[in-house]
Amino acid sequence: MPKPRSPLPRRRFLAVSATALLGLGAAAAPAAARARRVPAPEAEVNAGSMVMALTFDDGPSPQYTPQVLDVLRAHSVHATFFVCGDNVGLYPDVVRRIAAEGHSLGNHTWSHPHLSDLSAADVRDQMQRTQDAVTKTGVRAPVLFRAPYGDFADASLAVCADLGLRPISWSVDPTDWANPGTGTIADRVVAGAATGAIVLNHDGTEGGDDDPAPGSGGDRSQTVAALKNYLPRLIDAGYTFTTPDAHPPGRSGVTPQAPAGR
């Protein structure tokens, strides 16, 4: 994932209807839609003591996602894969394997844009197309959403409300996408480990106009190697792992913590 162009400001999300945020006019909306509240991104998983969540963004990748799945299977751990719709269409078999092995799928938009740069209609298209791409593989539609770059534009939260999606942020970012070194990635994850932590990793690349071969570009070998390193360390320390969709919402907030070690 490319480095965000600038730090994202902390946003205050108001409990308003999805229709109002999209500027469609609450008066014309059905009562049920007016009553639907816009969720705030969750930065922690609410699953009890010593429970964490591992997440992987920007896939599926035909090269690295299967390697990640192999490591997770070896340790009987389930994770969440936030997939880009353009990659889903290219590698549906990988999507089916993710689901078949008991992992959760999340929506990560179609082509990984900065959502704050898009119109409300284009944000909806990015999210809806990805929902449709996943269901086309024969897998249940995602119930989780993560905005690229953590850029949870108001319009995306409104669409989450409309589509029944829960927006998921993170609390531990080892910046694995920058390839800082296997040991550095692993140590940052271990240093950030805590009850409720949501760890951000990357198993693919986002596709889009700057990636002519979606899912195949980007070296994620350090991510895989780091997972092999830190996962048994965390298990030995007493941590277990879950997926956010298996539990009620955790702590909300869209400002991720800085990578451990910085």
Side-chain angles (χ1 to χ4, degrees):
M1 179 180 76
K3 187 176 181 179
R5 294 169 297 186
S6 61
L8 294 173
R10 182 184 294 272
R11 289 186 173 91
R12 236 177 122 185
F13 296 102
L14 303 178
V16 296
S17 71
T19 7
L21 276 177
L22 288 174
L24 300 180
R34 291 200 301 271
R36 186 176 298 157
R37 299 300 177 182
V38 173
E42 301 167 35
E44 293 180 355
V45 61
N46 183 22
S49 179
M50 298 290 285
V51 183
M52 298 172 56
L54 300 180
T55 67
F56 296 86
D57 286 11
D58 300 351
S61 159
Q63 180 176 4
Y64 296 110
T65 306
Q67 295 179 48
V68 169
L69 291 170
D70 288 345
V71 177
L72 296 174
R73 182 170 57 186
H75 294 281
S76 300
V77 166
H78 288 151
T80 303
F81 292 80
F82 288 93
V83 296
C84 292
D86 55 0
N87 292 339
V88 170
L90 290 171
Y91 310 111
D93 288 343
V94 183
V95 174
R96 285 188 279 266
R97 179 181 170 186
I98 291 170
E101 295 188 6
H103 304 285
S104 293
L105 283 158
N107 185 320
H108 199 44
T109 72
W110 181 264
S111 60
H112 205 276
H114 280 274
L115 295 180
S116 58
D117 291 342
L118 304 183
S119 69
D122 286 341
V123 170
R124 178 177 291 275
D125 182 67
Q126 284 275 335
M127 296 170 68
Q128 184 65 65
R129 288 175 69 193
T130 301
Q131 293 292 100
D132 295 343
V134 172
T135 57
K136 189 175 179 179
T137 70
V139 172
R140 180 173 66 96
V143 296
L144 305 175
F145 171 75
R146 174 174 285 159
Y149 313 101
D151 183 6
F152 286 94
D154 289 345
S156 75
L157 298 177
V159 177
C160 281
D162 283 350
L163 299 182
L165 292 166
R166 284 170 57 182
I168 304 296
S169 184
W170 62 84
S171 59
V172 180
D173 180 4
T175 61
D176 62 315
W177 55 268
N179 291 325
T182 295
T184 298
I185 296 169
D187 289 346
R188 287 174 177 174
V189 173
V190 171
T195 292
I198 299 177
V199 181
L200 172 65
N201 299 280
H202 298 80
D203 63 320
T205 54
E206 62 271 14
D209 294 340
D210 58 349
D211 183 1
S216 60
D219 181 0
R220 304 303 182 212
S221 59
Q222 289 187 13
T223 297
V224 176
L227 180 65
K228 292 178 181 178
N229 179 306
Y230 71 71
L231 188 51
R233 291 165 64 185
L234 293 177
I235 292 171
D236 288 345
Y239 285 101
T240 58
F241 300 87
T242 190
T243 59
D245 56 322
H247 306 277
R251 184 178 65 84
S252 297
V254 297
T255 303
Q257 76 171 40
R262 286 191 177 183

